[in-house]
Amino acid sequence: MAAEIVKILIAGPVNAGKSTLIRHLSDTEVVSTDKAALDDVSRLKAQTTVAMDHGILHVADDLELHLYGTPGQRRFSFMWDVLSVGAAGLICLVDATSEESIAELGYIYDYFRKKTKLPAIVGVTRQDVAGAATPAEVAERLNRPDVPVMACDPRRKEDSKVLALSLFELILKGQEELEESDFF
Ligand SMILES: Nc1nc2c(ncn2[C@@H]2O[C@H](COP(=O)(O)OP(=O)(O)OP(=O)(O)O)[C@@H](O)[C@H]2O)c(=O)[nH]1
Ligand SMILES: [Mg+2]
């Protein structure tokens, strides 16, 4: 029997750790479209995603999470729409050491939720760096009470797996609620 495939979007501001998460979480070789960064982004890092990242997490014999990473820069937002098609859930990452990243999180979160209404979860990166905002502080700044916000080091597969599986539970819960409310 073919495994069930669940498509998960990974979004969030530049340098939040989206490509890093997919690289470490994927059980298969990743597809990456990182190119030399220009302008302001080159001050943060050498390369930035211009189209997408793709990887696969094998959760069980009958379940695969297909991970699609978005570019963080707004100028590539046409890819946000393309990658959203058929997605079942959304992971938003944010760099907790950057005020700009935390401010941009709200914009990106709303962009995807308004278009897709997908179950979502926020992963707060760089908790190992002194002075980083805590998940509780990020949740307060984001001020969208219905979304879980948790710490995640995307360089650690186990951390990212907890985030992805927490989202998968939300997806299942959403499906159950839909079935219960279905009178037809
Ligand atoms: N110390 C530390 N470094 C982190 C953490 N999360 C991410 N990083 C680093 O931050 C950088 C993030 O780079 P990417 O993964 O390319 O970021 P991105 O979100 O894909 O960015 P764009 O594609 O430009 O939108 C990498 O160098 C990571 O190693 C963390 O929790 N702690
Ligand atoms: Mg990237």
Side-chain angles (χ1 to χ4, degrees):
M1 196 183 72
E4 182 188 358
I5 291 172
V6 177
K7 178 175 175 180
I8 305 287
L9 278 179
I10 323 287
V14 169
N15 205 31
K18 304 175 295 295
S19 299
T20 305
L21 180 143
I22 292 180
R23 214 166 39 242
H24 288 88
L25 185 56
S26 181
D27 294 316
T28 60
E29 199 178 327
V30 297
V31 175
S32 153
T33 62
D34 274 24
K35 300 288 171 206
L38 305 169
D39 312 325
D40 292 352
V41 178
S42 63
R43 270 181 240 132
L44 296 171
K45 59 196 179 92
Q47 295 213 310
T48 187
T49 306
V50 298
M52 63 179 274
D53 304 295
H54 174 61
I56 298 174
L57 174 66
H58 294 288
V59 179
D61 286 345
D62 57 356
L63 178 63
E64 293 177 4
L65 300 189
H66 285 212
L67 313 165
Y68 287 83
T70 60
Q73 294 182 67
R74 287 193 195 187
R75 66 193 179 100
F76 297 121
S77 65
F78 59 93
M79 283 306 298
W80 300 357
D81 300 335
V82 171
L83 294 170
S84 294
V85 177
L90 169 71
I91 292 176
C92 267
L93 294 184
V94 60
D95 171 3
T97 62
S98 159
E99 278 299 307
E100 207 180 331
S101 187
I102 296 170
E104 181 70 359
L105 173 67
Y107 174 85
I108 295 178
Y109 177 81
D110 288 345
Y111 185 99
F112 283 98
R113 290 305 300 281
K114 276 184 191 145
K115 289 215 165 191
T116 62
K117 310 222 173 352
L118 293 174
I121 196 162
V122 172
V124 182
T125 66
R126 289 197 179 72
Q127 292 299 290
D128 57 306
V129 178
T134 63
E137 286 164 346
V138 170
E140 200 179 329
R141 288 278 302 279
L142 180 63
N143 197 20
R144 311 287 189 277
D146 55 336
V147 63
V149 179
M150 56 197 282
C152 173
D153 186 333
R155 300 166 304 172
R156 294 163 53 100
K157 180 166 181 159
E158 280 314 307
D159 266 35
S160 302
K161 202 165 173 179
V162 168
L163 195 65
L165 294 182
S166 303
L167 174 65
F168 183 62
E169 273 176 33
L170 291 177
I171 294 169
L172 288 182
K173 203 168 141 225
Q175 284 171 353
E176 278 164 19
E177 283 168 9
L178 208 65
E179 279 160 20
E180 278 164 21
S181 67
D182 187 1
F183 291 101
F184 300 103

